[in-house]
Amino acid sequence: MAQVRSPIAVFCSGEGTNLQAILDAIRAGRLRARVALVIADRPTAKALVRAARAGAAARCVIPADYPSRAAFERALIRECEAHGVRLICLAGFMRILSPLFVRRYRHRILNIHPALLPAFRGSRAIRDALRWGVTVTGVTVHLVDEEVDHGPILLQEAVPIAPSDTERTLLAKVHRVEHRLYPKAIDAMLAGRVRITGRRVLIADRR
Ligand code: GRF
């Protein structure tokens, strides 16, 4: 019997390399999901091209087209509902979702962050890590709550920083880890292998 693939949405603003990793993991059978919807908040997001290439439904929802953040978010919700989305995966989505949106999808929104949270929150995590001179940074996949880069943590992995690293080389190292970690976290969520108690998360092994 064909396995049911849970519909997910991926929200992106930029390159969409994590979206690509998700699509590739699905194709390779490492992630039992279906990208039912890709949302971009700007028409130039490369994620839209990647979605089209993969035959995934994609919508460009531009905040400036709406009178308020609430109206913009209502449009996002309408799209997610129309596509039967079970899990929302933020992948470089450069918008902060309001508490109203977050509460509606409580424990159903994941984010990937290019640092070991709670270190280097915010949109410049890679540059900030280099400026601090830390020798280890990393990747975090976490649930989204009402605060930015804050919700319960599913997976983290360290990335060593070499003295010669630049923003470009460190980003490449971080991406390599992200592209492996995100599909793994999404698969665990969809398979019901994630137990959340307060801030603590327990992930059961894949059978
Ligand atoms: C990733 O590094 C992710 O951690 C951060 O935004 C970046 C998105 O990259 N939240 P891409 O668009 O998936 O290439």
Side-chain angles (χ1 to χ4, degrees), residues 11-14 39-45 48 59-64 72 76 92-95:
F11 286 18
C12 311
S13 301
I39 291 272
D41 63 345
R42 58 191 71 171
T44 51
L48 291 170
R59 299 283 181 272
C60 186
V61 186
I62 303 169
F72 167 66
L76 298 180
F93 190 59
M94 301 307 280
R95 304 269 151 201

PDB file of all heavy atoms in Angstrom, residues 11-14 39-45 48 59-64 72 76 92-95:
ATOM      1  N   PHE A  11       8.064  28.014   3.938  1.00  0.00           N
ATOM      2  CA  PHE A  11       8.035  29.476   3.773  1.00  0.00           C
ATOM      3  C   PHE A  11       9.472  29.965   3.569  1.00  0.00           C
ATOM      4  O   PHE A  11      10.348  29.703   4.416  1.00  0.00           O
ATOM      5  CB  PHE A  11       7.491  30.155   5.042  1.00  0.00           C
ATOM      6  CG  PHE A  11       6.009  30.027   5.279  1.00  0.00           C
ATOM      7  CD1 PHE A  11       5.237  29.065   4.651  1.00  0.00           C
ATOM      8  CD2 PHE A  11       5.376  30.897   6.172  1.00  0.00           C
ATOM      9  CE1 PHE A  11       3.863  28.966   4.904  1.00  0.00           C
ATOM     10  CE2 PHE A  11       4.019  30.806   6.424  1.00  0.00           C
ATOM     11  CZ  PHE A  11       3.259  29.840   5.791  1.00  0.00           C
ATOM     12  N   CYS A  12       9.713  30.693   2.499  1.00  0.00           N
ATOM     13  CA  CYS A  12      11.075  31.133   2.166  1.00  0.00           C
ATOM     14  C   CYS A  12      11.072  32.590   1.728  1.00  0.00           C
ATOM     15  O   CYS A  12      10.057  33.086   1.221  1.00  0.00           O
ATOM     16  CB  CYS A  12      11.623  30.359   0.976  1.00  0.00           C
ATOM     17  SG  CYS A  12      11.450  28.582   1.053  1.00  0.00           S
ATOM     18  N   SER A  13      12.235  33.232   1.831  1.00  0.00           N
ATOM     19  CA  SER A  13      12.375  34.575   1.250  1.00  0.00           C
ATOM     20  C   SER A  13      13.509  34.649   0.237  1.00  0.00           C
ATOM     21  O   SER A  13      13.574  35.598  -0.538  1.00  0.00           O
ATOM     22  CB  SER A  13      12.664  35.612   2.343  1.00  0.00           C
ATOM     23  OG  SER A  13      11.638  35.639   3.302  1.00  0.00           O
ATOM     24  N   GLY A  14      14.431  33.686   0.288  1.00  0.00           N
ATOM     25  CA  GLY A  14      15.664  33.884  -0.486  1.00  0.00           C
ATOM     26  C   GLY A  14      16.019  32.736  -1.399  1.00  0.00           C
ATOM     27  O   GLY A  14      15.237  32.288  -2.240  1.00  0.00           O
ATOM     28  N   ILE A  39       5.612  29.067   0.077  1.00  0.00           N
ATOM     29  CA  ILE A  39       5.227  30.485   0.179  1.00  0.00           C
ATOM     30  C   ILE A  39       6.505  31.321   0.104  1.00  0.00           C
ATOM     31  O   ILE A  39       7.474  31.038   0.822  1.00  0.00           O
ATOM     32  CB  ILE A  39       4.534  30.758   1.539  1.00  0.00           C
ATOM     33  CG1 ILE A  39       3.165  30.076   1.621  1.00  0.00           C
ATOM     34  CG2 ILE A  39       4.449  32.255   1.803  1.00  0.00           C
ATOM     35  CD1 ILE A  39       2.005  30.868   1.088  1.00  0.00           C
ATOM     36  N   ALA A  40       6.489  32.335  -0.741  1.00  0.00           N
ATOM     37  CA  ALA A  40       7.581  33.306  -0.750  1.00  0.00           C
ATOM     38  C   ALA A  40       6.966  34.681  -0.515  1.00  0.00           C
ATOM     39  O   ALA A  40       5.826  34.921  -0.924  1.00  0.00           O
ATOM     40  CB  ALA A  40       8.309  33.264  -2.082  1.00  0.00           C
ATOM     41  N   ASP A  41       7.716  35.554   0.136  1.00  0.00           N
ATOM     42  CA  ASP A  41       7.171  36.890   0.404  1.00  0.00           C
ATOM     43  C   ASP A  41       7.762  37.933  -0.546  1.00  0.00           C
ATOM     44  O   ASP A  41       7.590  39.122  -0.342  1.00  0.00           O
ATOM     45  CB  ASP A  41       7.417  37.291   1.869  1.00  0.00           C
ATOM     46  CG  ASP A  41       8.892  37.390   2.190  1.00  0.00           C
ATOM     47  OD1 ASP A  41       9.723  36.886   1.400  1.00  0.00           O
ATOM     48  OD2 ASP A  41       9.228  37.980   3.230  1.00  0.00           O
ATOM     49  N   ARG A  42       8.510  37.464  -1.543  1.00  0.00           N
ATOM     50  CA  ARG A  42       9.015  38.380  -2.572  1.00  0.00           C
ATOM     51  C   ARG A  42       9.155  37.626  -3.893  1.00  0.00           C
ATOM     52  O   ARG A  42       9.526  36.437  -3.897  1.00  0.00           O
ATOM     53  CB  ARG A  42      10.342  39.005  -2.144  1.00  0.00           C
ATOM     54  CG  ARG A  42      11.429  38.014  -1.853  1.00  0.00           C
ATOM     55  CD  ARG A  42      12.611  38.669  -1.195  1.00  0.00           C
ATOM     56  NE  ARG A  42      12.300  39.074   0.176  1.00  0.00           N
ATOM     57  CZ  ARG A  42      13.187  39.527   1.054  1.00  0.00           C
ATOM     58  NH1 ARG A  42      14.440  39.646   0.692  1.00  0.00           N
ATOM     59  NH2 ARG A  42      12.819  39.863   2.274  1.00  0.00           N
ATOM     60  N   PRO A  43       8.849  38.314  -5.001  1.00  0.00           N
ATOM     61  CA  PRO A  43       8.813  37.611  -6.291  1.00  0.00           C
ATOM     62  C   PRO A  43      10.167  37.114  -6.757  1.00  0.00           C
ATOM     63  O   PRO A  43      10.246  36.196  -7.578  1.00  0.00           O
ATOM     64  CB  PRO A  43       8.260  38.665  -7.262  1.00  0.00           C
ATOM     65  CG  PRO A  43       8.245  39.957  -6.542  1.00  0.00           C
ATOM     66  CD  PRO A  43       8.408  39.713  -5.083  1.00  0.00           C
ATOM     67  N   THR A  44      11.264  37.698  -6.212  1.00  0.00           N
ATOM     68  CA  THR A  44      12.598  37.297  -6.670  1.00  0.00           C
ATOM     69  C   THR A  44      13.148  36.087  -5.910  1.00  0.00           C
ATOM     70  O   THR A  44      14.263  35.645  -6.192  1.00  0.00           O
ATOM     71  CB  THR A  44      13.581  38.469  -6.486  1.00  0.00           C
ATOM     72  OG1 THR A  44      13.457  38.928  -5.135  1.00  0.00           O
ATOM     73  CG2 THR A  44      13.292  39.608  -7.450  1.00  0.00           C
ATOM     74  N   ALA A  45      12.399  35.577  -4.952  1.00  0.00           N
ATOM     75  CA  ALA A  45      12.891  34.441  -4.154  1.00  0.00           C
ATOM     76  C   ALA A  45      13.155  33.248  -5.080  1.00  0.00           C
ATOM     77  O   ALA A  45      12.265  32.810  -5.813  1.00  0.00           O
ATOM     78  CB  ALA A  45      11.874  34.073  -3.085  1.00  0.00           C
ATOM     79  N   LEU A  48      10.915  30.092  -5.444  1.00  0.00           N
ATOM     80  CA  LEU A  48       9.784  29.963  -6.373  1.00  0.00           C
ATOM     81  C   LEU A  48      10.197  29.155  -7.602  1.00  0.00           C
ATOM     82  O   LEU A  48       9.427  28.333  -8.105  1.00  0.00           O
ATOM     83  CB  LEU A  48       9.277  31.352  -6.788  1.00  0.00           C
ATOM     84  CG  LEU A  48       8.580  32.153  -5.677  1.00  0.00           C
ATOM     85  CD1 LEU A  48       8.344  33.595  -6.107  1.00  0.00           C
ATOM     86  CD2 LEU A  48       7.249  31.491  -5.278  1.00  0.00           C
ATOM     87  N   ARG A  59       3.139  30.061  -3.991  1.00  0.00           N
ATOM     88  CA  ARG A  59       2.421  31.334  -3.973  1.00  0.00           C
ATOM     89  C   ARG A  59       3.367  32.416  -3.501  1.00  0.00           C
ATOM     90  O   ARG A  59       4.109  32.222  -2.521  1.00  0.00           O
ATOM     91  CB  ARG A  59       1.248  31.287  -2.983  1.00  0.00           C
ATOM     92  CG  ARG A  59       0.213  30.256  -3.276  1.00  0.00           C
ATOM     93  CD  ARG A  59      -0.722  30.674  -4.419  1.00  0.00           C
ATOM     94  NE  ARG A  59      -1.719  29.647  -4.661  1.00  0.00           N
ATOM     95  CZ  ARG A  59      -1.549  28.608  -5.491  1.00  0.00           C
ATOM     96  NH1 ARG A  59      -0.431  28.477  -6.164  1.00  0.00           N
ATOM     97  NH2 ARG A  59      -2.506  27.716  -5.657  1.00  0.00           N
ATOM     98  N   CYS A  60       3.316  33.548  -4.177  1.00  0.00           N
ATOM     99  CA  CYS A  60       4.082  34.693  -3.710  1.00  0.00           C
ATOM    100  C   CYS A  60       3.100  35.609  -2.989  1.00  0.00           C
ATOM    101  O   CYS A  60       2.177  36.148  -3.611  1.00  0.00           O
ATOM    102  CB  CYS A  60       4.718  35.389  -4.907  1.00  0.00           C
ATOM    103  SG  CYS A  60       5.816  36.687  -4.393  1.00  0.00           S
ATOM    104  N   VAL A  61       3.249  35.724  -1.692  1.00  0.00           N
ATOM    105  CA  VAL A  61       2.333  36.541  -0.879  1.00  0.00           C
ATOM    106  C   VAL A  61       3.148  37.718  -0.358  1.00  0.00           C
ATOM    107  O   VAL A  61       4.019  37.542   0.505  1.00  0.00           O
ATOM    108  CB  VAL A  61       1.721  35.701   0.278  1.00  0.00           C
ATOM    109  CG1 VAL A  61       0.670  36.508   1.032  1.00  0.00           C
ATOM    110  CG2 VAL A  61       1.104  34.406  -0.249  1.00  0.00           C
ATOM    111  N   ILE A  62       2.882  38.894  -0.899  1.00  0.00           N
ATOM    112  CA  ILE A  62       3.728  40.059  -0.620  1.00  0.00           C
ATOM    113  C   ILE A  62       3.071  40.938   0.449  1.00  0.00           C
ATOM    114  O   ILE A  62       1.937  41.422   0.252  1.00  0.00           O
ATOM    115  CB  ILE A  62       3.956  40.868  -1.915  1.00  0.00           C
ATOM    116  CG1 ILE A  62       4.571  39.951  -2.988  1.00  0.00           C
ATOM    117  CG2 ILE A  62       4.830  42.086  -1.667  1.00  0.00           C
ATOM    118  CD1 ILE A  62       4.608  40.542  -4.371  1.00  0.00           C
ATOM    119  N   PRO A  63       3.749  41.158   1.568  1.00  0.00           N
ATOM    120  CA  PRO A  63       3.141  41.920   2.662  1.00  0.00           C
ATOM    121  C   PRO A  63       2.610  43.282   2.226  1.00  0.00           C
ATOM    122  O   PRO A  63       1.541  43.705   2.682  1.00  0.00           O
ATOM    123  CB  PRO A  63       4.289  42.066   3.667  1.00  0.00           C
ATOM    124  CG  PRO A  63       5.204  40.941   3.363  1.00  0.00           C
ATOM    125  CD  PRO A  63       5.085  40.644   1.909  1.00  0.00           C
ATOM    126  N   ALA A  64       3.328  43.955   1.317  1.00  0.00           N
ATOM    127  CA  ALA A  64       2.909  45.312   0.907  1.00  0.00           C
ATOM    128  C   ALA A  64       1.559  45.306   0.180  1.00  0.00           C
ATOM    129  O   ALA A  64       0.931  46.356   0.038  1.00  0.00           O
ATOM    130  CB  ALA A  64       3.983  45.918   0.012  1.00  0.00           C
ATOM    131  N   PHE A  72      -2.141  40.187   6.016  1.00  0.00           N
ATOM    132  CA  PHE A  72      -1.108  39.369   5.351  1.00  0.00           C
ATOM    133  C   PHE A  72      -1.122  37.944   5.917  1.00  0.00           C
ATOM    134  O   PHE A  72      -1.137  36.952   5.175  1.00  0.00           O
ATOM    135  CB  PHE A  72       0.262  40.037   5.559  1.00  0.00           C
ATOM    136  CG  PHE A  72       1.449  39.189   5.216  1.00  0.00           C
ATOM    137  CD1 PHE A  72       1.694  38.789   3.911  1.00  0.00           C
ATOM    138  CD2 PHE A  72       2.352  38.797   6.211  1.00  0.00           C
ATOM    139  CE1 PHE A  72       2.808  38.010   3.592  1.00  0.00           C
ATOM    140  CE2 PHE A  72       3.458  38.021   5.906  1.00  0.00           C
ATOM    141  CZ  PHE A  72       3.685  37.619   4.591  1.00  0.00           C
ATOM    142  N   LEU A  76      -1.871  34.082   4.422  1.00  0.00           N
ATOM    143  CA  LEU A  76      -1.019  32.891   4.591  1.00  0.00           C
ATOM    144  C   LEU A  76      -1.845  31.712   5.113  1.00  0.00           C
ATOM    145  O   LEU A  76      -1.712  30.575   4.638  1.00  0.00           O
ATOM    146  CB  LEU A  76       0.125  33.182   5.583  1.00  0.00           C
ATOM    147  CG  LEU A  76       1.139  34.273   5.220  1.00  0.00           C
ATOM    148  CD1 LEU A  76       2.178  34.411   6.320  1.00  0.00           C
ATOM    149  CD2 LEU A  76       1.822  33.945   3.887  1.00  0.00           C
ATOM    150  N   GLY A  92      14.461  30.348   6.076  1.00  0.00           N
ATOM    151  CA  GLY A  92      14.936  31.645   5.594  1.00  0.00           C
ATOM    152  C   GLY A  92      13.782  32.582   5.276  1.00  0.00           C
ATOM    153  O   GLY A  92      13.869  33.391   4.358  1.00  0.00           O
ATOM    154  N   PHE A  93      12.696  32.476   6.034  1.00  0.00           N
ATOM    155  CA  PHE A  93      11.549  33.383   5.849  1.00  0.00           C
ATOM    156  C   PHE A  93      11.812  34.613   6.703  1.00  0.00           C
ATOM    157  O   PHE A  93      11.864  34.529   7.924  1.00  0.00           O
ATOM    158  CB  PHE A  93      10.265  32.665   6.285  1.00  0.00           C
ATOM    159  CG  PHE A  93       8.998  33.395   5.913  1.00  0.00           C
ATOM    160  CD1 PHE A  93       8.709  33.680   4.590  1.00  0.00           C
ATOM    161  CD2 PHE A  93       8.080  33.761   6.883  1.00  0.00           C
ATOM    162  CE1 PHE A  93       7.522  34.335   4.239  1.00  0.00           C
ATOM    163  CE2 PHE A  93       6.905  34.411   6.541  1.00  0.00           C
ATOM    164  CZ  PHE A  93       6.624  34.701   5.216  1.00  0.00           C
ATOM    165  N   MET A  94      11.999  35.761   6.035  1.00  0.00           N
ATOM    166  CA  MET A  94      12.480  36.950   6.749  1.00  0.00           C
ATOM    167  C   MET A  94      11.334  37.786   7.334  1.00  0.00           C
ATOM    168  O   MET A  94      11.363  39.015   7.294  1.00  0.00           O
ATOM    169  CB  MET A  94      13.345  37.804   5.817  1.00  0.00           C
ATOM    170  CG  MET A  94      14.546  37.073   5.257  1.00  0.00           C
ATOM    171  SD  MET A  94      15.578  36.301   6.514  1.00  0.00           S
ATOM    172  CE  MET A  94      16.488  37.739   7.051  1.00  0.00           C
ATOM    173  N   ARG A  95      10.332  37.131   7.852  1.00  0.00           N
ATOM    174  CA  ARG A  95       9.193  37.813   8.493  1.00  0.00           C
ATOM    175  C   ARG A  95       8.988  37.219   9.864  1.00  0.00           C
ATOM    176  O   ARG A  95       9.084  36.001  10.016  1.00  0.00           O
ATOM    177  CB  ARG A  95       7.888  37.574   7.726  1.00  0.00           C
ATOM    178  CG  ARG A  95       7.936  37.956   6.317  1.00  0.00           C
ATOM    179  CD  ARG A  95       7.499  39.386   6.118  1.00  0.00           C
ATOM    180  NE  ARG A  95       8.177  39.916   4.952  1.00  0.00           N
ATOM    181  CZ  ARG A  95       8.355  41.198   4.707  1.00  0.00           C
ATOM    182  NH1 ARG A  95       7.918  42.101   5.548  1.00  0.00           N
ATOM    183  NH2 ARG A  95       8.985  41.598   3.627  1.00  0.00           N
TER     184      ARG A  95
END
